[in-house]
């Protein structure tokens, strides 16, 4: 029942033998410990990027947290992939279908905003507005522009949730194949709970 010891052991296994099985054990263990929606979104993204997202309820929960957090296009892609892979059972499919409809509606609205995002960024007056445009780009899978907008927002200052912004910048840089920039962003995350997830992203790097 030594939970910290279990996590240390699993992290050691992943560091030296990064097989999907050990990643799955580690991330599932972290999933039980993560209660914050920001942390869950980042953790599910890590499960996605380590190919350990494989259960219907995980796809449904990931889709739900993404839609709620303002990432409908990303949620749409995740849920459509789950549907295509037939991961949902009778219990999780209705929820997933409902979340997919929400995601598609939000993604359609976001698609209109992406076209004017560059102009919005140029006109943005606050760091929080700039980060919001970064989230729009991130959800659309445009990670280079997402990082640019988020970094401009953080440099401007006064960002409502700098920890979440840094986490997002780290994930975007990781997906762009920029480990040095990703590590710097993850190390800037200071919120309790989120730091655990940021550390696992650094482990992946």
């Amino acid at each position: 029942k030594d939970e910290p010891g279990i996590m240390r052991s699993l992290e050691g296994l992943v560091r030296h033998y990064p097989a999907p099985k050990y990643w799955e054990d580690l991330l599932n263990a972290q999933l039980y410990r993560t209660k914050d929606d920001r942390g869950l979104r980042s953790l599910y993204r890590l499960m996605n990027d380590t190919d350990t997202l494989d259960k219907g309820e995980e796809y449904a929960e990931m889709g739900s947290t993404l839609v709620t957090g303002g990432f409908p296009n990303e949620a749409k892609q995740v849920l459509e992939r789950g549907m295509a892979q037939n991961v949902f059972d009778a219990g999780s499919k209705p929820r997933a279908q409902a979340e997919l409809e929400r995601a598609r509606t939000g993604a359609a609205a976001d698609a209109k905003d992406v076209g004017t995002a560059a102009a919005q960024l140029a006109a943005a007056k606050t760091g929080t507005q700039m980060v919001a445009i970064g989230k729009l780009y991130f959800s659309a899978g445009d990670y280079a522009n997402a990082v640019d907008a988020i970094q401009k927002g953080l440099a401007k200052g006064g960002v409502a949730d700098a920890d979440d912004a840094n986490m997002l910048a780290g994930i975007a840089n990781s997906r762009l194949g920029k480990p040095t920039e990703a590590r710097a962003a993850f190390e800037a995350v200071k919120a309790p709970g989120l730091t655990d997830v940021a550390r696992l992203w650094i482990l992946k790097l």
Side-chain angles (χ1 to χ4, degrees):
K1 299 189 186 300
D2 176 7
E3 283 191 25
I6 291 169
M7 294 300 291
R8 280 195 303 273
S9 300
L10 289 171
E11 286 180 33
L13 279 169
V14 163
R15 184 173 286 108
H16 299 291
Y17 311 99
K21 172 74 175 86
Y22 299 138
W23 267 114
E24 187 161 17
D25 290 345
L26 174 61
L27 298 181
N28 281 337
Q30 184 61 44
L31 202 52
Y32 286 113
R33 298 156 62 94
T34 303
K35 308 301 179 195
D36 176 274
D37 273 355
R38 300 171 304 168
L40 281 174
R41 283 195 295 275
S42 300
L43 187 56
Y44 279 125
R45 287 169 175 141
L46 183 53
M47 293 172 76
N48 182 75
D49 287 17
T50 53
D51 295 320
T52 55
L53 189 74
D54 54 11
K55 298 179 184 69
E57 60 266 28
E58 291 169 355
Y59 273 88
E61 182 65 22
M62 181 176 183
S64 178
T65 61
L66 288 174
V67 172
T68 303
F71 300 89
N73 200 59
E74 186 183 6
K76 172 176 168 285
Q77 292 171 354
V78 166
L79 291 166
E80 285 178 345
R81 191 173 80 235
M83 292 289 182
Q85 294 175 358
N86 205 27
V87 300
F88 300 108
D89 58 20
S92 59
K93 192 164 187 175
R95 179 190 179 191
Q97 194 67 56
E99 294 297 348
L100 181 53
E101 291 309 313
R102 281 178 66 205
R104 284 173 173 161
T105 301
D110 271 11
K112 297 171 186 172
D113 289 334
V114 168
T116 61
Q120 290 179 53
L121 182 60
K125 297 287 191 290
T126 69
T128 297
Q129 288 172 336
M130 294 172 185
V131 169
I133 295 161
K135 287 175 62 175
L136 179 69
Y137 277 128
F138 187 99
S139 185
D142 186 345
Y143 301 121
N145 277 320
V147 168
D148 177 61
I150 291 167
Q151 287 179 336
K152 283 176 177 170
L154 289 168
K156 181 77 172 173
V159 173
D161 192 343
D163 288 305
D164 195 43
N166 276 306
M167 184 74 89
L168 214 55
I171 296 169
N173 274 314
S174 174
R175 291 178 174 176
L176 287 168
K178 295 183 173 181
T180 304
E181 293 88 339
R183 177 183 287 269
F186 290 133
E187 287 178 345
V189 175
K190 303 300 180 191
L194 267 187
T195 52
D196 290 339
V197 181
R199 189 180 71 252
L200 298 182
W201 270 101
I202 291 171
L203 187 59
K204 179 182 181 296
L205 296 175

